Amino acid sequence: MNPATHVFGIESSCDETSCSVVADGRRVLSNVVASQIELHARFGGVVPEIASRAHIEAINPVIEKALRESGVGPGDIAAVAVTNEPGLIGSLLVGLMAAKTLAWVWDVPLIAVNHVYAHAYAAAMDAEPIEYPAAALICSGGHTALYRCESPTSLTLLGSTIDDAAGEAFDKVANILRLGYPGGPVIDRVSMQANPEAVSFPRSLLAGQSLDFSFSGLKTAVLYHVNGVPGAVRPNSRSRRGSRLADGRPHGIESFSSQEIADIAASFQAAVVDVLRIKLRRAAKQIGAKTLILGGGVAANTALRQAARQLAEKLHCSLRMPELHFCVDNAAMIAGLGYHYLQSGLTADYDLQAYATVRR
Ligand code: KG4
Ligand code: ZN
């Protein structure tokens, strides 16, 4: 065991408090995740103030557990890596303060890690090194972006969402369809027994060579499909379920059978996956990628993973998709990427700040 390779990672940018010990940038010795999903579920999304408080309560036990499960002691840790951007500012600050304290107490370097860059590295956790250059598609609840990756630490932004993130669209559409929170996993599940061609939803920003994304129009299209287009509603309808569409059909979520709701979910998912696949193909071709990378919570999506497999085969690229528990937020990817910054001597000072958005 070479202690100089052990990095302790801390992740608290959204609604997961996570700590991890990773050896050699890839071997995960522990990865403890305290999820807050239940706390936020009744609000249909993450409530920042609740998230910050829950991080404060969770951080110390999670630190202790991650260290205990790793089987190494504080004296074996070579550096403390922490997510300092982007994310919910109150949540980030909890992890950052914990990281500064540990780095100071253990007398090891502090390392700043960009959360989205870490998602692009997650596919290397407990796996082979990634072959570069790579086109990385990162889709989560807060981010949807394409990157050109030259190495774990060298990323160039190629395009990103101009409105909603893909995961956010999954969550909002699940809310419209009353499928529960978080929306991604449940839409993924119900879509397996449904018709993805039942409803023809729009595919946005496909013109030209754009690598940007837009999902808010798609979300609105689902809303209109379920509730009717506002201008097309007949106000004097006598339907017991409320108003009717212009063609006289009653609408509102109660008027759809569970199979119809699953079909809408599957059709929405197909529209998202189509756009993601097309943009990833464009990016890969533009940069001559050897590898396609998926990352972020939406990378757990069954249909997206299947589409990415077919795309990689067509482009003769290798495909790197993280194990499902490394798709969602976790500190292993933070510690793993932190190792590469440590190797390059890119350490941070104690005046390191947290940033809600990525600095350009
Ligand atoms: O990366 P992540 O854990 O947190 C952020 O950084 O945002 O991603 C969470 C997002 C949520 O929006 C969730 O609905 C989505 O990932 N998600 C999925 C699936 N599993 C999680 N979306 C589609 N299909 C899934 N199987
Ligand atoms: Zn994330």
Side-chain angles (χ1 to χ4, degrees):
M1 188 156 62
N2 175 5
T5 73
H6 292 118
V7 175
F8 191 89
I10 301 182
E11 157 62 37
S12 69
S13 65
C14 191
D15 59 343
E16 262 97 29
T17 318
S18 180
C19 292
S20 168
V21 178
V22 172
D24 313 321
R26 288 186 289 115
R27 205 155 42 86
V28 181
L29 303 183
S30 67
N31 183 40
V32 178
V33 182
S35 173
Q36 304 175 6
I37 282 181
E38 279 172 20
L39 287 178
H40 302 286
R42 69 191 173 105
F43 301 103
V46 177
V47 182
E49 184 62 18
I50 293 176
S52 314
R53 287 164 190 264
H55 283 302
I56 290 172
E57 284 172 16
I59 191 76
N60 283 345
V62 171
I63 289 171
E64 279 168 28
K65 196 167 178 213
L67 206 53
R68 195 170 57 243
E69 288 186 1
S70 73
V72 304
D76 298 320
I77 301 295
V80 177
V82 62
T83 304
N84 76 317
E85 64 176 350
L88 301 171
I89 196 72
S91 295
L92 286 167
L93 284 170
V94 176
L96 184 57
M97 287 311 297
K100 286 180 182 179
T101 308
L102 288 181
W104 184 69
V105 171
W106 293 344
D107 194 20
V108 294
L110 177 69
I111 296 170
V113 174
N114 175 310
H115 177 84
V116 189
Y117 292 7
H119 272 305
Y121 181 72
M125 305 317 301
D126 275 340
E128 293 301 305
I130 295 169
E131 204 185 350
Y132 295 96
L137 172 65
I138 310 305
C139 309
S140 68
H143 320 281
T144 298
L146 274 165
Y147 289 90
R148 172 200 175 100
C149 311
E150 293 294 338
S151 74
T153 55
S154 167
L155 286 83
T156 310
L157 184 68
L158 299 173
S160 59
T161 182
I162 59 169
D163 41 53
D164 290 352
E168 189 180 358
F170 270 94
D171 294 336
K172 287 177 176 170
V173 164
N175 193 25
I176 294 168
L177 301 178
R178 305 221 186 125
L179 289 173
Y181 174 85
V186 65
I187 287 182
D188 191 345
R189 184 166 43 77
V190 302
S191 296
M192 287 176 189
Q193 316 292 334
N195 176 11
E197 291 171 2
V199 188
S200 169
F201 287 124
R203 273 73 168 153
S204 304
L205 286 184
L206 293 182
Q209 282 303 304
S210 166
L211 292 175
D212 286 330
F213 303 88
S214 167
F215 293 108
S216 78
L218 172 58
K219 175 192 66 191
T220 307
V222 175
L223 187 67
Y224 285 178
H225 182 81
V226 171
N227 289 336
V229 180
V233 170
R234 289 196 324 189
N236 295 329
S237 161
R238 278 179 288 165
S239 164
R240 280 190 297 118
R241 285 177 171 150
S243 57
R244 288 170 180 256
L245 296 173
D247 64 6
R249 192 164 63 84
H251 63 85
I253 193 67
E254 299 85 0
S255 63
F256 293 89
S257 69
S258 56
Q259 184 58 52
E260 284 171 326
I261 290 173
D263 287 346
I264 297 169
S267 302
F268 156 79
Q269 178 178 275
V272 174
V273 170
D274 264 2
V275 172
L276 295 176
R277 174 181 48 79
I278 290 165
K279 303 271 171 160
L280 179 57
R281 185 183 63 204
R282 253 180 218 171
K285 285 191 163 172
Q286 274 184 25
I287 69 168
K290 285 187 181 159
T291 304
L292 306 181
I293 297 174
L294 292 190
V298 182
N301 185 266
T302 313
L304 178 60
R305 290 171 90 88
Q306 180 59 19
R309 270 186 216 106
Q310 288 168 355
L311 178 62
E313 212 168 285
K314 255 192 208 153
L315 296 178
H316 305 292
C317 290
S318 56
L319 172 64
R320 301 300 302 271
M321 301 191 285
E323 296 284 330
L324 295 190
H325 54 282
F326 295 133
C327 286
V328 290
D329 288 349
N330 66 90
M333 65 183 188
I334 307 299
L337 182 52
Y339 169 77
H340 292 277
Y341 286 114
L342 180 67
Q343 295 287 93
S344 312
L346 294 169
T347 58
D349 293 326
Y350 284 121
D351 61 359
L352 179 68
Q353 304 284 308
Y355 301 93
T357 52
V358 179
R359 294 156 296 148
R360 305 262 170 215

